[in-house]
Amino acid sequence: MDRRIFLGGAGAIVGGTLGGIGLSEAAEVLGGQKPITQKEWEALYRSYGTAQFTCVRTSQAVEGPYYFDNSPLRSAVAEGRKGERLRLGITIGGMLSPIAARCFPLAGAVVDIWQTDAAGIYSNVGGDLQTVDTTGQAFLRGHQITDEKGYVEFETIVPGWEVIALPPPAIVGARTNHIHVKVYHGRDVLTAQLYFPDPLLDQLFAEVEPYKSHTRMTAPGLPRFYERVRNDKDGLFLADKSTPMPVERVNGVLTAKATIGMISQGNRGQATLFRGG
C-alpha cells in the first residue's frame, strides 16, 4: 500500500472518530491506553534504582516448531515421564537498556517452558513429525508467574537430545539437550534456550537409564538413524554462543539455576501477550 495513501486514510479515520470528544473519551476510543504521565515516568525510571544483581541480556533464540501458548499453570511438569529429576530455578531480570550491567527483579512475568522427555519426544506433536504421536498431551510443558524476586522454579527431568526432518537441502536438524523458555512481561517477549554441561550429559548417557538407551534416533522422513549430538556439534548452540547452566546436586537432586535478562520498560497495566490457560 502506498504510504501516503495509508497515512492520509489513517488521519481521516482518526479525525472522524475522535473529533469533538474529550481526551478521556479519546483514550477509551484508542483502547484505554492513556499517555504516560511525568509522574509515572519518574516512578518507572526510579524503579531501575532497585537493581540487585548483575546480568547479561539474553539473546533471542529460535522458538522451534513445537511451541503452543496454552500450557498449564504449574511447577511440576514431568507427569511421570522417566528421567533424571531436575529442579530448575529461573530468575528474570529487567534491564533499562542493552548495555545495562545491573538488573532489577522482574515480578509478574510469565515464564513458560517446554522440552522433550528423555527419549527426545515432545508432547502435543503428531506422528508426521516424530515417531510417537502425542497429540493432546501436555507433559513437560508448564508456566509460572515470577514472584517479587523475579523467580520461578520448576520440577522436571533432564531432557533428551532430538532430531527433526527439515526441508532439503538441510534434511535433518539434530539438537543437543535443551529446555525452551519463553518469557512474557506486558508487551515484551523473550525466547531462549537453556543448555546443560557436556560432562553431566556424558555421565547420564553412560550410566543412567533411559538416557543410556537413547543413543540413536530418527524421525518420519529421515533416511536413517542419527547418533547423539553434544553441545559442540549443535549449530544453534554455537551460533548463539551459548553457555551451559551451572548444575549441581543438592540433597541428591540435580539443581540448575538460570538468569535471564530482558529489556523491560514496565507493563503499565498492559495485558500480557501470553494466552495460556
Side-chain angles (χ1 to χ4, degrees):
M1 179 180 293
D2 187 287
R3 182 173 181 272
R4 291 167 296 177
I5 297 175
F6 177 79
L7 291 177
I13 293 172
V14 171
T17 302
L18 301 184
I21 66 175
L23 290 178
S24 61
E25 294 173 280
E28 292 183 11
V29 172
L30 294 173
Q33 182 60 54
K34 297 180 180 179
I36 190 169
T37 65
Q38 190 276 336
K39 183 178 180 180
E40 287 176 324
W41 168 240
E42 182 176 341
L44 176 63
Y45 188 81
R46 290 186 182 280
S47 71
Y48 298 122
T50 64
Q52 298 176 12
F53 51 94
T54 300
C55 66
V56 176
R57 183 186 182 188
T58 303
S59 300
Q60 284 280 1
V62 297
E63 181 181 276
Y66 301 136
Y67 179 68
F68 67 96
D69 54 357
N70 193 25
S71 69
L73 174 60
R74 61 184 180 180
S75 59
V77 301
E79 292 191 10
R81 308 300 283 197
K82 295 181 179 179
E84 183 74 21
R85 180 184 171 193
L86 176 71
R87 182 176 295 120
L88 173 63
I90 301 176
T91 299
I92 308 301
M95 308 175 73
L96 178 61
S97 73
I99 60 174
R102 301 288 288 174
C103 283
F104 57 93
L106 202 55
V110 177
V111 181
D112 197 15
I113 70 168
W114 70 104
Q115 63 174 87
T116 73
D117 64 10
I121 299 298
Y122 285 95
S123 63
N124 200 38
V125 174
D128 57 340
L129 282 175
Q130 60 184 21
T131 55
V132 181
D133 189 331
T134 58
T135 301
Q137 300 181 52
F139 61 82
L140 297 168
R141 297 178 184 269
H143 73 275
Q144 291 191 75
I145 313 299
T146 55
D147 61 17
E148 67 279 359
K149 296 181 180 179
Y151 184 76
V152 294
E153 192 169 275
F154 292 93
E155 293 290 336
T156 183
I157 60 172
V158 175
W161 61 282
E162 65 189 79
V163 296
I164 181 174
L166 299 175
I171 304 299
V172 61
R175 298 298 319 281
T176 188
N177 310 61
H178 61 280
I179 295 177
H180 295 271
V181 181
K182 193 178 282 288
V183 183
Y184 297 84
H185 187 255
R187 60 183 177 272
D188 302 314
V189 183
L190 176 70
T191 303
Q193 296 186 22
L194 306 178
Y195 297 92
F196 297 82
D198 270 326
L200 166 66
L201 297 176
D202 291 342
Q203 184 264 325
L204 291 179
F205 281 95
E207 305 174 5
V208 180
E209 293 289 5
Y211 306 95
K212 189 176 179 180
S213 299
H214 182 43
T215 57
R216 302 171 72 243
M217 188 176 184
T218 190
L222 295 181
R224 62 180 178 86
F225 280 81
Y226 294 83
E227 305 298 320
R228 176 195 157 208
V229 177
R230 301 174 81 249
N231 290 338
D232 60 359
K233 299 299 182 182
D234 185 302
L236 293 178
F237 177 89
L238 298 174
D240 293 340
K241 299 180 180 180
S242 300
T243 301
M245 298 180 290
V247 183
E248 60 178 341
R249 287 196 179 274
V250 179
N251 297 324
V253 178
L254 281 181
T255 302
K257 298 291 185 181
T259 299
I260 294 176
M262 64 183 296
I263 305 299
S264 176
Q265 296 286 344
N267 58 32
R268 297 191 56 237
Q270 284 276 0
T272 176
L273 296 175
F274 181 70
R275 296 186 293 275

